[in-house]
Amino acid sequence: MSVKILLVEDEEKLARFVELELLHEGYEVTKSGNGREALELAVQGSFDLILLDIMLPGLNGLEVLRRLQKEKDVPVILLTARDAVMDKVAGLDAGAVDYITKPFAIEELLARIRVALKLHAAAAQPAQDTSRQEGVLTWGELCLDEPKHRVTFANHEIALTNREFLMLKTLLENQDIVLSRDTLLDRVCGYDFAGETNIVDVYIRYLRSKIDDVFGVKMIHTIRGVGYVIKSETGS
Ligand code: CA
C-alpha cells in the first residue's frame, strides 16, 4: 500500500510542481487548493501525511489544522511564507509536526516528509506491541483496543462511532460464530431498543465502508438469512 499524501496549496504552479515530485518519489497524491475542501478530504480520507499551506481560500491552514487535530492523528507539515514567524509558532502549537518556508528546495521537503513519516510510525509502534494485552482484539492487521477505545488497521487510525465500535467488538469477540441480527441489535443498542433489526445492516455497511472498502479486505461476511460473521484469519 503506497503512502498517501494530501497536498493543500492554492498556488497552482507550486502545487503542480510539488505534486509531480511526490509522484516521482512513489507517493500517492491528492491535491486541494481550498481550506474547507481540504479539511473535508482530510477527515474523510486516510492520509499518511498532509502538506498544508497557511494562506488558503475557504478556511486558512491554521484553522484547518486545529479542526483536523480533533478528528485525526495524522502528521501535518506546514508550508509557510517567509518571515511568518507567528504562523510557525501558532502552527506548531496547533499540532503541526514541522514546517518548511517557501520557497524551499524540493529535496529538503522530501527529507522532512521522510522524517515525519518515520517519527509518526515510531510513535504508533507501542500501541502495536500491546496487541497481546487484555482488552485488545485483533483480526489480521486490525486492532481494537477497548481500554483506549481505539481501532487501527496497520497503524492507521479508524474513527468509529460508539455503536460501530460496539458492533465491531461483538463480532471480533465471536470470530467464526455467526451472529443473528437480533443478537447484534441487543448487544449494540440494548435489549430495550425499539428499532428495527435492519439498523444492524446499516451499521455493518458503515463498518465495511470504513474498513473493508478502505483497506481492501473482506472482514465481515454476510450469512444470508442468518446474520453476520468475522471469520478468523488462518495462520494468525
Ligand atoms: Ca497560499
Side-chain angles (χ1 to χ4, degrees), residues 8-11 14 33 53-57 79 102:
V8 189
E9 170 61 73
D10 61 320
E11 288 161 52
L14 177 61
D53 181 30
I54 291 185
M55 295 295 288
L56 287 168
L79 311 176
K102 294 191 267 189

Side-chain angles (χ1 to χ4, degrees), residues 192-205:
D192 52 2
F193 184 76
E196 307 274 354
T197 54
N198 64 12
I199 197 165
V200 168
D201 304 292
V202 174
Y203 285 120
I204 292 286
R205 199 171 338 126

